Every structure is written in structure tokens, then in C-alpha cells.
Amino acid sequence: LQRRVHMATDIVAQLADSLAKTGVQDGELSYKGQGRKLDDAQSAEEIVKDIQEFEGLQALRMEGNTIGVEAAQAIAKALETKSELKRCYWSDMFTGRLRPEIPPALNSLGDALMLAGARLTVLDLSDNAFGPDGVRGIEKLLKSTACYTLQELRLNNCGMGIGGGKILAASLIQCHKQSRENNTALNLKVFVAGRNRLENDGATALAQAFQLMGSLEEVHMPQNGINHAGVTALASAMQQNPGLRILNLNDNTFTEKGAIAMAQALKHLNNIQVINFGDCLVRPEGAKAIAETVSEGLPILKELNLSYGEISADAALAVVQALKNKDKLEKLDLNGNCLGEDGCKAVKDMIEGVNMVDLLGSLSDDEGEPEDDEDEDEEDNDEDDEEEEDVDEEEIEEEEEEEEEEESGSNKLSTPVSAPRPPDVSSFLSFPSPDKLLKLGAKRALLVQQQVDVTDARKTAEAFLKIASVYKEENNDVKNAVLDTIDTLLRKAFSTPSFQGYSFVSILLVLLGLIKSEDKIKPVLVVPGHLYALEHVVRQDYFPKENVAVLEAFMSRSNKSLESCGNARNGLRSTLQRVRSQS
């Protein structure tokens, strides 16, 4: 009898192991993370057979594999009879594929779902860098009856851009219209589209779709380059979604205008539980407006993130005061603002006074009290004016060149105010100079970091070299400003999950003229400041030690581009050797 029990146990274990390998459970077939390279129909045979034989297929997981056009067509053919399919987890499914391959693959899969008569509830295509063309690949599907029942749409980190955002918005609007006419109105609850460079136009287009639907419970749109105009449009749309529980707009640029508009919208959202406006530059007036809304409502608020927003001590205290009766609160993040030492202490004291010590995150990255408010206000107004003008990048560059000429001239063309216009971050990055960097004020590091797309390794490397180019070993003020700005920029970059550190180092070597690039990237004129700054960077905890050996290998070679930087090059070589030996 005991032997039979053991045999039965072994059979059950083998069956469980077999099911686990295929990922079969609760109507779900999973190949998640298996790293399969499916180029053609033959390579997809096993998956096709599994799909065909799976009765009652409700979910298909294909994350972490790479699927070519022919393989997608074969899988699609198998899906044409799967009418019960509801959930498609298809993120990170085209790694290493050429962009033109992706739309036809998506078209095939979408056509199969429509032919099957599937009624989707979840569609996840995140981490597929398909751009606007990829959105066109799912456009027909999104407008079809297959998506009338969609509850979750996840398109994080797809590189949609403004064009893709507009196509997506139009598709959702059409789907809502047609589904409503069919008495099954689209009831989308979760929308995820972070890191897509939607900018104002893309966000505004999507806001129109959100306003129509009115069913959203979660919206995640971090790192999209959205300014106050787009934020204001989203705020208006959010008011029409009273069931909203989570709103994540981290790392977009609200400024006071956007923050105040969003504060007004929050007054209509009493079901909100998580607000993430970190890295959004809400500033003191914006924070106070949000605090006022919090104090008047939001009874089940659990998390509030207003970190890295240039918030002053009095605004932070207003936020804490507003939260004192929120018994559901679990987390408050005010790190990286401008409270100053006394302000940090005042905030901590007030937190203790309302018995919320465990809820406050660290304040270790506080930027200190703001300096020279008058100049910064003037700069803010100038930046807002520029945002409101509909100009392209070439026009912006022309304006910056004119500003450069004005600053170097006799000020005959200066603005009507008595003092010359302070340089903005765009002007500094276009035409770097030590004076411009210093004039950006105490918050220069944060301002520069917010201007640079730290998800893009090339843009980050180019910004690093521009900042480092004004380094002066003999001038401590400039030297410290450069290193502080670089630390803030690169710490943010290397802590961003999608940032590719190895690509950053490779592009840096190309720009320094140490290796050639197939992309025809033009090297810069190397100056000692570049190498002094790099010597500082490789000693920092944020810089991956595995990249040190790569840098050392190239720096040890004889190269014409470094000939004018003898002392700086020797110092960098020594530091690289020392850091590598210590790791």
C-alpha cells in the first residue's frame, strides 16, 4: 500500500512538473520567459500544436520570446478557432526583430482574434519597441468587437511617440462609439503607457478618449515628456472618471499650471488611493493646491508622491497638515525637494506631531532652500511662454542661437526688463559655458536632469559631454557645479530600469573618438574636462564597476583624440586601474 501511495505521488509530481513546463493552469497556456526564437512556421510547430489541442484556452502568455512574421502567422492560424481567449500577455515579444517585421506580425495575430470571435479583457504589448507603425498594426483589432470588452490595455515602453498616441486615441474613441451603439460600451479600467514620448499632443489626444470612456480605475503614463498643456488636458479627462484609484504621471513636467489643474481634477476623484506626481516639478503653488484638495476630500488616499518637485518648506508643511486625518495613508514621499535643513526638521516634527513617522520616506536628497527666487520666477515665465508657442526643434535652435548672440553682444536687443534674461537649460545644453551653468542657480543639477531623456543612452552621453566640457580644474565653483550636475544626471540614468549602461559607455567611447560607429556618430572635440569628469564618475557608487574594465582598455591605447589631454588622460588611467583592482 505504501508503495502504491509513493507511485501515485510520483505520478502527480510528474504531471505537475509537465504542466509547469508548459505553463498550463486555469485556462492559461504560458511560454513566459522561455527565450524562444521563432523565425518561421517550423520553429513554432510545438506552440501551434499546444494551442490547437488546448480546449477552453482563455489566456496566452508569450512574454520574453521573439517572434518573426512567419511564426506569428502560424500561431495566428491556430488561434482562429479559440473563441474563449480573453487575455493576451504579449509583452517583450519582438526582441531583435526589425521594426518593419512587427506590424505584419501584429496584424496576423489581431486578424485571428477577430476571426475567432474572441472577446478580450487584457491586451499587454508592453516593452515592444514598435513605434507608431506598431500601433497601426493593432489599430484594426482595437476598433473591432474583440476589444469591446477590453478592461486592461498595457502599452508601456513601446516608443509610440506623438503619432502613435494619436492613432491609439482615435482607435479607442472609435471602439467606444461602436461598442456603445452595440449596447456593450467599452469599459476600460487599466491604461498603461509609460515611456512612450507622447508629449502634449499625444497626451491631449488620449485625454479625449479617456473623457468619453469615464471608466478608468488606473492610469500609468510616466516619462512621456508631457508639459502643463498636456497635463491640463489629462486633468480635465480624469474628472470624468470618478472610479479612478491610481494616477501615475511620474517624471512629466507639470509646473504650477499643470499642478493646479490636476488639483482641481482631484476634487472629483474621491476613490483615488495612489497619486504619483514625483519628478513632476509641481513647485510650491502646485503643492499647496494639491494639499488643499487633499484636506477637503480623498478619504481613502494611501500613497502620495510629490518628490523632486522643487517644493519649498512651507508648501511641504501644508501637504503634511492636509494629510493628518487620512487614516488610510501608508506612504508620503517628499524627498528631493527644496526644504532646507530647517524645513526638513520642521516637516519631521510635524509628522511626529500627527503620529505619521512611519509613513514619511527619506529626505536625504533634499536640494536645500531655493536661492534667487526672482530670477527663477522670471525664468519660469520665459519657459512657460516658450511651451505655449507651437514651434519645431529647428526654430528653437534658431531662437537659442539668437539668444547666444544677444548675450555676447552689447545688450541692445535685451528684453524690456532691466536685467538681462537668465539663460535656460536648453540654451546651456545647446551652447555650454561655465557662466551659463552657474547662472542656472542652486537647482541647476535637477533642472538639467529633467531636461535630458535619461532613458536614451545617446542623449545622456551627449549631455554628459556638454556639461563636462565647461569643467575648470582651477575654478572650484565651476568644478563643483559640473560634478554635481553630472552626478544628478547619471545617478538618475543608471537607476532607471530601461537605461542601458553598456550602450551609454559604448556611445561615450564613440563620441570621444576611441571607437568607430556604424551609425556615423560624429566625435566631439575632446577637452581635458571630459576626462576629469569621467575620472570622477568612475569612482561613484552609481557607476557599474563592470564598465570600468571596458573604459580602461580603450583609454590605455594611443589615440590622437586624447593627445591634447595628457595630464587628464594619465589621471583617468590611474583611477581606472585603481577602481578595477578594488572591485
Side-chain angles (χ1 to χ4, degrees):
L1 179 63
Q2 192 174 11
R3 186 179 176 187
R4 286 179 183 174
V5 170
H6 279 306
M7 286 177 64
T9 304
D10 289 344
I11 291 168
V12 170
Q14 288 171 10
L15 180 60
D17 184 55
S18 175
L19 289 172
K21 283 179 179 175
T22 321
V24 178
Q25 57 179 19
D26 299 329
E28 178 180 290
L29 184 58
S30 176
Y31 301 93
K32 180 178 180 180
Q34 294 186 9
R36 299 192 184 205
K37 192 171 187 295
L38 309 174
D39 293 325
D40 50 30
Q42 185 177 356
S43 60
E45 277 181 356
E46 181 189 344
I47 293 176
V48 168
K49 186 171 180 290
D50 289 343
I51 292 172
Q52 288 172 338
E53 294 178 354
F54 197 118
E55 295 294 331
L57 180 64
Q58 294 184 29
L60 178 61
R61 287 191 173 273
M62 295 295 296
E63 309 104 308
N65 299 284
T66 176
I67 300 174
V69 176
E70 289 184 25
Q73 289 169 344
I75 292 169
K77 188 70 178 172
L79 290 173
E80 286 179 358
T81 60
K82 300 301 173 181
S83 60
E84 295 178 48
L85 187 62
K86 293 183 175 69
R87 304 185 301 279
C88 298
Y89 300 102
W90 295 346
S91 64
D92 190 19
M93 201 169 68
F94 298 109
T95 302
R97 299 291 168 187
L98 296 174
R99 188 170 285 186
E101 293 182 80
I102 300 175
L106 289 172
N107 268 317
S108 297
L109 293 166
D111 287 348
L113 296 175
M114 289 185 280
L115 187 60
R119 294 291 184 270
L120 298 183
T121 57
V122 178
L123 178 60
D124 185 355
L125 288 165
S126 297
D127 300 315
N128 289 310
F130 49 48
D133 289 341
V135 185
R136 290 189 184 94
I138 58 171
E139 183 178 7
K140 188 163 53 168
L141 173 65
L142 288 172
K143 292 177 180 179
S144 75
T145 56
C147 287
Y148 286 2
T149 49
L150 198 61
Q151 294 183 12
E152 296 184 21
L153 179 58
R154 300 176 181 272
L155 295 166
N156 200 58
N157 193 30
C158 289
M160 289 190 287
I162 294 171
K166 288 181 174 180
I167 296 167
L168 176 61
S171 300
L172 291 173
I173 289 170
Q174 184 73 7
C175 181
H176 180 266
K177 179 184 176 184
Q178 291 177 175
S179 63
R180 190 174 56 185
E181 291 171 356
N182 201 44
N183 295 320
T184 54
L186 176 63
N187 192 36
L188 192 68
K189 294 179 179 177
V190 178
F191 180 83
V192 181
R195 298 177 188 153
N196 272 292
R197 300 185 189 175
L198 296 169
E199 301 183 17
N200 286 342
D201 289 350
T204 300
L206 285 166
Q208 294 173 357
F210 298 160
Q211 191 150 345
L212 282 175
M213 290 186 291
S215 56
L216 290 167
E217 295 180 7
E218 294 185 28
V219 174
H220 302 264
M221 296 174 67
Q223 292 186 356
N224 269 299
I226 306 169
N227 295 327
H228 70 80
V231 171
T232 300
L234 288 171
S236 178
M238 292 306 109
Q239 292 184 36
Q240 307 304 318
N241 289 265
L244 194 68
R245 294 182 295 105
I246 299 174
L247 181 57
N248 176 9
L249 294 174
N250 187 283
D251 205 0
N252 291 290
T253 308
F254 283 34
T255 67
E256 291 93 335
K257 288 182 181 179
I260 290 169
M262 198 57 76
Q264 290 298 314
L266 288 170
K267 292 181 178 181
H268 301 265
L269 302 174
N270 274 331
N271 288 307
I272 201 87
Q273 295 178 21
V274 178
I275 299 171
N276 187 344
F277 296 161
D279 263 340
C280 284
L281 210 65
V282 299
R283 295 184 175 148
E285 292 308 310
K288 288 175 184 177
I290 292 168
E292 181 184 341
T293 295
V294 170
S295 67
E296 294 174 355
L298 314 193
I300 57 173
L301 185 65
K302 290 183 178 179
E303 294 183 21
L304 178 60
N305 184 347
L306 295 176
S307 59
Y308 301 94
E310 293 191 359
I311 298 171
S312 58
D314 61 325
L317 291 169
V319 171
V320 174
Q321 179 69 21
L323 291 166
K324 66 179 182 179
N325 294 321
K326 305 300 173 189
D327 54 6
K328 303 290 185 186
L329 193 71
E330 298 173 0
K331 184 179 178 182
L332 170 64
D333 193 345
L334 291 171
N335 200 17
N337 283 300
C338 304
L339 311 186
E341 189 175 340
D342 292 341
C344 287
K345 185 178 184 305
V347 165
K348 290 175 181 176
D349 288 346
M350 182 177 281
I351 285 284
E352 286 181 14
V354 295
N355 199 25
M356 289 166 47
V357 177
D358 296 337
L359 311 184
L360 180 66
S362 168
L363 296 176
S364 60
D365 287 346
D366 188 73
E367 294 283 327
E369 292 183 45
E371 296 178 6
D372 209 355
D373 289 337
E374 188 175 333
D375 281 352
E376 286 166 9
D377 288 342
E378 193 176 319
E379 181 182 337
D380 294 344
N381 291 334
D382 287 331
E383 286 176 357
D384 285 346
D385 290 343
E386 285 178 11
E387 285 174 6
E388 287 164 10
E389 294 173 12
D390 187 14
V391 293
D392 60 26
E393 290 182 6
E394 291 180 1
E395 290 171 336
I396 291 172
E397 288 175 5
E398 288 171 6
E399 288 172 10
E400 288 168 353
E401 288 170 3
E402 290 168 6
E403 290 166 14
E404 182 74 3
E405 291 169 3
E406 290 170 21
E407 288 168 8
S408 63
S410 60
N411 285 330
K412 287 181 181 177
L413 299 175
S414 62
T415 52
V417 293
S418 55
R421 171 182 172 172
D424 60 15
V425 178
S426 297
S427 176
F428 167 71
L429 290 174
S430 298
F431 306 97
S433 74
D435 187 52
K436 281 186 183 179
L437 183 63
L438 292 177
K439 283 183 178 178
L440 287 174
K443 291 180 283 189
R444 64 179 72 85
L446 183 62
L447 291 170
V448 171
Q449 178 248 296
Q450 289 170 337
Q451 185 78 11
V452 178
D453 179 4
V454 293
T455 64
D456 189 314
R458 178 172 176 176
K459 289 181 180 178
T460 305
E462 289 171 344
F464 163 75
L465 291 176
K466 286 177 179 178
I467 300 162
S469 69
V470 305
Y471 179 99
K472 289 186 178 297
E473 181 70 18
E474 69 281 2
N475 187 322
N476 281 335
D477 287 343
V478 174
K479 176 180 174 180
N480 292 336
V482 167
L483 298 182
D484 180 46
T485 304
I486 284 172
D487 281 342
T488 301
L489 174 68
L490 295 187
R491 192 179 298 279
K492 175 73 173 177
F494 283 107
S495 66
T496 299
S498 59
F499 182 73
Q500 296 180 330
Y502 187 79
S503 294
F504 168 81
V505 172
S506 300
I507 293 167
L508 199 58
L509 291 170
V510 172
L511 290 168
L512 292 172
L514 299 178
I515 57 177
K516 291 183 179 179
S517 167
E518 295 177 2
D519 297 331
K520 297 181 180 178
I521 298 174
K522 187 178 179 181
V524 301
L525 176 63
V526 182
V527 296
H530 291 141
L531 306 188
Y532 282 126
L534 193 54
E535 181 185 357
H536 167 82
V537 165
V538 299
R539 296 198 306 264
Q540 306 310 306
D541 57 0
Y542 58 74
F543 189 79
K545 294 300 178 275
E546 61 266 24
N547 290 331
V548 170
V550 178
L551 285 173
E552 185 185 4
F554 284 96
M555 288 296 167
S556 62
R557 299 176 184 177
S558 177
N559 194 290
K560 288 183 179 180
S561 68
L562 305 182
E563 284 179 355
S564 62
C565 310
N567 291 337
R569 180 183 60 183
N570 294 337
L572 175 56
R573 282 178 180 172
S574 299
T575 298
L576 287 167
Q577 290 171 358
R578 187 168 62 253
V579 171
R580 187 170 62 84
S581 64
Q582 291 171 352
S583 59

